[in-house]
Amino acid sequence: GNSVTQMEGPVTLSEEAFLTINCTYTATGYPSLFWYVQYPGEGLQLLLKATKADDKGSNKGFEATYRKETTSFHLEKGSVQVSDSAVYFCALSTRGLYGNNRLAFGKGNQVVVIP
Amino acid sequence: DVKVTQSSRYLVKRTGEKVFLECVQDMDHENMFWYRQDPGLGLRLIYFSYDVKMKEKGDIPEGYSVSREKKERFSLILESASTNQTSMYLCASRLRGAGGNSPLHFGNGTRLTVT
């Protein structure tokens, strides 16, 4: 079945540091890949997406590249801010009949940025 | 902007009670979803609906049912609440089709405590 694996554990780093969160996936067919972010007390919101191999999604200084050969979609940001403290989820979506596509989510990574 | 509204932010219910969680979206989306979010487990799909009166079980449907009588409203029902259903519940909606490319739009969640 389809699944998403994110690196274990929270990530704590200092302001202006480089952030990487690893995401690998297993899927049949050609999935679309997403990163969602959840700020404290809120629901998830889309951060970026990529719909085919070698696509790069980007938003708010975050980037992720769809790597089919390594089945990965790692999230990166060159210089984090305190306001980037949140939980980040990697997800994939595959085609389904009648438009009933499902998303599979990773377990999420808590990111804490210290001033 | 898409708005997904969950009727309660916090709920406290007793074991054995029948519990209704309501979700309304204002963008005419065909697909609607219910997830629960637990620490260390990420998001797990309970049920989803790909159109009015259509529903499909997710990964953890036991102890839950759903109702989709109108396109904008998707209700999650706990037939007889138990303490292991204490969790954060997230509703989401999405436009159907687009090959799985369209993102989910989430509500802010309902934190349910069953005592």
Side-chain angles (χ1 to χ4, degrees), chain A residues 32 36 41 101-103, chain B residues 9 31 37 57 94 101 104:
Chain A
S32 296
Y36 285 84
N101 315 91
R102 293 192 181 201
L103 264 75
Chain B
R9 286 302 299 269
N31 294 171
Q37 181 178 14
K57 291 181 180 178
R94 176 165 86 169
N101 296 341
L104 290 180

Side-chain angles (χ1 to χ4, degrees), chain B residues 4 7 14 30-31 34 47 72 83 91 100 109-110 115:
Chain B
V4 179
S7 53
R14 294 194 182 277
E30 292 87 357
N31 294 171
W34 275 107
Y47 265 99
E72 67 270 19
T83 55
C91 175
T110 296
T115 62

Side-chain angles (χ1 to χ4, degrees), chain B residues 44-110:
Chain B
R44 293 181 291 167
L45 181 64
I46 305 171
Y47 265 99
F48 72 102
S49 167
Y50 48 93
D51 213 330
V52 177
K53 297 191 188 294
M54 310 297 279
K55 61 186 179 185
E56 194 165 312
K57 291 181 180 178
D59 302 315
I60 52 163
E62 297 77 20
Y64 303 94
S65 62
V66 290
S67 172
R68 183 104 182 265
E69 295 298 316
K70 292 186 178 181
K71 195 172 188 179
E72 67 270 19
R73 186 179 297 270
F74 190 36
S75 303
L76 180 69
I77 303 153
L78 286 65
E79 299 290 343
S80 177
S82 64
T83 55
N84 64 11
Q85 292 178 311
T86 291
S87 187
M88 170 70 85
Y89 290 87
L90 292 170
C91 175
S93 73
R94 176 165 86 169
L95 204 58
R96 181 172 59 196
N101 296 341
S102 56
L104 290 180
H105 297 267
F106 283 85
N108 282 341
T110 296

Side-chain angles (χ1 to χ4, degrees), chain A residues 51-68:
Chain A
T51 58
K52 60 184 189 298
D54 300 325
D55 264 4
K56 179 186 280 188
S58 61
N59 186 24
K60 299 183 181 179
F62 290 89
E63 290 183 341
T65 302
Y66 188 164
R67 301 278 187 210
K68 189 163 176 282

